[in-house]
Amino acid sequence: MLEYFIGLHPVIQALIGTLFTWGMTALGAAIVFTTKNPNQRFLDSMMGLAAGVMIAASFWSLLAPAIEMGEGGSLPSWVPAATGFLLGGLFLMVVDKLMPHLHPNLSVEKAEGIHPEKKRRSTLMVLAITLHNIPEGLAVGVAFGAAAASFPSASLMGAIALAIGIGIQNFPEGVAVSMPLRQTGMSRKRSFMYGQFSGMVEPIAAMAGAAAVLFIQPLLPYALSFAAGAMIFVVAEEVIPGSQENGNSDLASLSLMFGFAIMMILDVALG
């Protein structure tokens, strides 16, 4: 099975990898069929876990390879990584200001973006998680494209490890959309559909990322660090605050460290 996967085009590899991450989003959203009121400590610990995975993935799978790829160039090795990293964060900040969206567990009055009052609560929540899933899909796609480009610091197993890590952290994201919708009275089926829908953007972003780096290889270190910067912005702006706003800060912090360790082990062991 692995030999067959290795022989596939990197864009197809990225598609398969993010179909897995989308599936994990759907699995999290499916929790809505088992309960209407999940344990808040469980939700906060899962969000902390997601934050740890994303932070570790940003460095081990994206920034570190970007720095290595920058060595030997006309610019100092840190320039592409730092430039892409900051641009990724700025890009997400701009999109965050423009796209109407609502973070889970907040009232509609606290929706962000342009004219959010014209959107339904369910649509705003799905848009919020969809916005956060774009850099995750992009990161997976760029990782598979980098492996195909035969850069010494990038490997297929490292890209697979990143997809696994992103999949792990997508589980609580699916829960974070479907459960609040269920608590507002929406049917279980519709809550699930909205929850898993937020992960559909990842395969699209992944294929675009993989294709881009194959055609424009000099941009690869910038693309890797761009994805890292976008992910860190999401962690700092939404995931960590959301995991600690219900009084479970110690549990969420320990879960973050556990998630970081999981992703670090995956990347080092497989990459």
Side-chain angles (χ1 to χ4, degrees):
M1 185 69 176
L2 182 58
E3 292 181 356
Y4 174 76
F5 183 79
I6 293 174
L8 295 174
H9 191 279
V11 174
I12 303 301
Q13 292 174 340
L15 172 62
I16 295 173
T18 45
L19 286 177
F20 165 73
T21 63
W22 178 15
M24 289 297 291
T25 304
L27 186 62
I31 295 293
V32 76
F33 292 111
T34 65
T35 180
K36 184 177 180 179
N37 297 296
N39 185 280
Q40 189 61 51
R41 285 174 58 84
F42 169 75
L43 293 180
D44 291 342
S45 66
M46 290 301 293
M47 290 301 290
L49 182 82
V53 168
M54 293 175 73
I55 293 172
S58 295
F59 176 74
W60 295 98
S61 298
L62 300 171
L63 277 177
I67 293 172
E68 290 185 29
M69 291 175 189
E71 294 177 354
S74 57
L75 297 172
S77 61
W78 55 266
V79 171
T83 302
F85 182 80
L86 294 174
L87 287 175
L90 288 172
F91 172 78
L92 254 290
M93 183 183 71
V94 171
V95 176
D96 195 66
K97 297 295 184 183
L98 297 178
M99 179 184 290
H101 64 282
L102 174 67
H103 299 303
N105 300 320
L106 294 182
S107 62
V108 178
E109 290 74 21
K110 295 184 178 181
E112 302 174 5
I114 298 177
H115 303 306
E117 68 278 359
K118 297 182 179 180
K119 303 287 185 180
R120 297 174 57 183
R121 174 182 173 85
S122 57
T123 302
L124 289 169
M125 290 180 63
V126 172
L127 286 174
I129 303 299
T130 300
L131 170 64
H132 295 172
N133 282 344
I134 292 174
E136 297 166 11
L138 179 64
V140 174
V142 171
F144 278 106
S150 301
F151 281 91
S153 55
S155 70
L156 179 61
M157 295 307 296
I160 293 173
L162 177 60
I164 293 173
I166 296 296
I168 291 172
Q169 70 91 33
N170 272 7
F171 180 86
E173 288 190 351
V175 179
V177 177
S178 65
M179 294 310 305
L181 293 177
R182 176 58 179 158
Q183 290 169 347
T184 62
M186 185 178 289
S187 69
R188 296 180 190 273
K189 183 177 179 180
R190 289 190 64 196
S191 299
F192 166 75
M193 291 303 295
Y194 275 113
Q196 63 83 33
F197 182 78
S198 62
M200 291 179 63
V201 69
E202 289 192 0
I204 299 172
M207 290 190 292
V213 299
L214 287 175
F215 287 106
I216 318 175
Q217 290 190 17
L219 291 180
L220 187 50
Y222 294 92
L224 286 167
S225 53
F226 181 93
M231 288 176 63
I232 291 297
F233 180 88
V234 169
V235 172
E237 194 266 345
E238 168 60 18
V239 183
I240 292 178
S243 70
Q244 303 201 5
E245 63 187 8
N246 297 295
N248 297 312
S249 58
D250 287 345
L251 176 63
S253 297
L254 287 173
S255 298
L256 184 150
M257 296 181 69
F258 187 63
F260 187 99
I262 289 175
M263 188 63 229
M264 179 177 64
I265 291 169
L266 279 174
D267 193 86
V268 174
L270 297 180

